[in-house]
Amino acid sequence: MRPIISVYNNFKNKGGAQEVVLQLATALNEGRKPLVLTSTPYPEIHTEYLSREIEFQPFNLKTIFEGQQQGAIFLSHHRKMTSVLAILKKLPFFSINLVHIAHSTFNTLHYLSFFPEHIIAVSNGVKENIESYFRINPKYVTVI
């Protein structure tokens, strides 16, 4: 089974989005310790998250490259981080398997957002926002 690497920017506080990220990371990495890439410096990650059997690493080119070398699937839960990964995916020396998990609706940064072919929306409202605001083809968006 290919490793699943979850990507989310903020683990400084406890919240619903963080819980979804960690629950998916744990459920999808049966038999191995989940790996989460984040922009939150390790000492600033909420203590409850650090107490779980989850490995937190920095979101940077080194960890992204290492993950893609392992054939990992990246589950990105943050629009800006998804955009970075989508741009890297276009480069010849990166072979990133990317899925975006959309938690929220947006009405900014349309032209600075890039999405992969696989998008999972957490509700029909989020799906409609992705399709209408970001003009994503409905065939690429699945609601869970």
Side-chain angles (χ1 to χ4, degrees), residues 24-140:
L24 277 173
T26 302
L28 295 173
N29 280 287
E30 292 179 13
R32 77 176 76 180
K33 190 173 186 177
L35 174 60
V36 176
L37 302 185
T38 184
S39 326
T40 306
Y42 192 82
E44 295 177 22
I45 295 172
H46 193 282
T47 54
E48 183 175 316
Y49 298 141
L50 291 176
S51 69
R52 298 184 188 182
E53 286 294 315
I54 295 170
E55 181 178 352
F56 290 94
Q57 290 187 7
F59 178 76
N60 58 34
L61 286 174
K62 179 182 180 245
T63 56
I64 295 166
F65 187 74
E66 289 171 353
Q68 68 105 29
Q69 289 293 97
Q70 298 170 9
I73 298 170
F74 289 82
L75 292 184
S76 179
H77 297 258
H78 190 265
R79 181 183 55 164
K80 292 176 188 174
M81 295 172 131
T82 297
S83 294
V84 168
L85 291 167
I87 291 168
L88 289 174
K89 182 179 173 140
K90 302 270 186 210
L91 298 175
F93 45 88
F94 277 97
S95 176
I96 296 173
N97 300 297
L98 178 60
V99 177
H100 177 69
I101 312 292
H103 294 250
S104 306
T105 59
F106 292 98
N107 59 7
T108 60
L109 300 174
H110 168 78
Y111 296 107
L112 296 175
S113 298
F114 304 96
F115 294 96
E117 289 183 2
H118 304 287
I119 301 170
I120 297 172
V122 299
S123 71
N124 284 320
V126 171
K127 180 182 191 279
E128 290 169 12
N129 175 253
I130 290 169
E131 293 170 0
S132 63
Y133 184 73
F134 293 106
R135 297 185 185 106
I136 301 294
N137 188 324
K139 74 179 186 179
Y140 298 129

